[in-house]
Amino acid sequence: MTDPLFIDPYAGCLLSLDVNHCDMEEYAISITGSSPSYYRIATKYIDDKLLNFVSRSDDLRQIVLLTDGMDTRPLRMNWPRSSILYDVSPERIFKVTSQRFKGVGAKVSRGCLLIHIPVESSNLLESFYRNGFNGGRSSIWALQTAKKERLEKLFMTYGFRVTVVDYEEVAKEMHFSLDAPLETSNSVLFVAEQLRLSDAQMEIWRTHFERIEEEGDEEGFEEL
């Protein structure tokens, strides 16, 4: 028996007693458009990317997870101290799952904070800021099982540089065998970096540019 790609000690508390293994397989297929093995690879890939990014930078402590309200990542992963995790998801579902997680003793990593942002909020940006999100600091965002068409629109609208990752290459690196061909039109792995500067970066650039202009005015120019 091969080792599991990841261990989720809390997923079981979200299942009803009448949910069996076949139901779980069907759920994975319904949200990915492919076999459950691709869902497992995507989960492991996103887990590793998140931890890799936050471990390389002490400034990257704002983690935003766009979820269905049942994501166990905030609880099962070992986050660096001072991390603030924002779970953006349906409020009704999040309330139910939070109670179940509490019932099995699931907690976010010590020194970290988990904040829920209802996806139904009339003004998501205001909800973020009201809950301490700092647009002047770096942040990392993760989502799983989004529609490819919506992602393409998001990338083009907000100026992202995107690197598409091949499922088979990732599976090979993980020494994991895929059990069925992938419907490429329904599922894609990617890493995206927003190329636009944050408000804080723009302010630094503006201050630097103004200082250069002032120095130029003080020094003057030689008359021709």
Side-chain angles (χ1 to χ4, degrees), residues 94-125:
F94 184 84
K95 284 183 177 180
V96 174
T97 56
S98 294
Q99 289 300 314
R100 295 199 179 188
F101 288 145
K102 184 178 180 180
V104 296
K107 296 180 180 179
V108 70
S109 300
R110 183 182 296 274
C112 299
L113 184 63
L114 173 60
I115 297 174
H116 180 241
I117 304 291
V119 73
E120 303 90 348
S121 299
S122 58
N123 190 325
L124 277 175
L125 185 60

Side-chain angles (χ1 to χ4, degrees), residues 6-59:
F6 61 93
I7 297 175
D8 190 338
Y10 305 122
C13 74
L14 301 178
L15 302 178
S16 301
L17 294 177
D18 59 347
V19 174
N20 57 35
H21 180 72
C22 292
D23 294 326
M24 295 173 65
E25 300 285 283
E26 288 298 323
Y27 173 73
I29 292 174
S30 68
I31 60 178
T32 61
S34 56
S35 72
S37 63
Y38 288 90
Y39 184 74
R40 298 186 189 108
I41 287 177
T43 300
K44 172 63 173 174
Y45 179 80
I46 294 172
D47 287 356
D48 290 348
K49 281 295 180 183
L50 284 170
L51 291 180
N52 181 47
F53 278 119
V54 298
S55 64
R56 289 188 305 176
S57 173
D58 293 336
D59 296 328

Side-chain angles (χ1 to χ4, degrees), residues 157-203:
T157 303
Y158 293 100
F160 283 91
R161 179 174 60 196
V162 183
T163 302
V164 176
V165 184
D166 184 75
Y167 265 101
E168 293 184 355
E169 289 297 322
V170 175
K172 186 177 180 180
E173 292 177 1
M174 295 179 181
H175 305 289
F176 185 79
S177 298
L178 298 173
D179 53 17
L182 174 68
E183 292 291 339
T184 55
S185 60
N186 293 332
S187 186
V188 62
L189 281 176
F190 67 91
V191 176
E193 178 185 1
Q194 191 173 23
L195 301 181
R196 295 181 180 178
L197 299 178
S198 67
D199 293 341
Q201 290 172 318
M202 284 298 297
E203 185 60 32

Side-chain angles (χ1 to χ4, degrees), residues 67-87:
T67 79
D68 57 4
M70 298 184 289
D71 197 342
T72 61
R73 279 192 179 95
L75 307 172
R76 64 177 171 79
M77 294 175 63
N78 187 23
W79 301 101
R81 291 183 68 89
S82 302
S83 294
I84 304 177
L85 298 106
Y86 295 90
D87 186 313

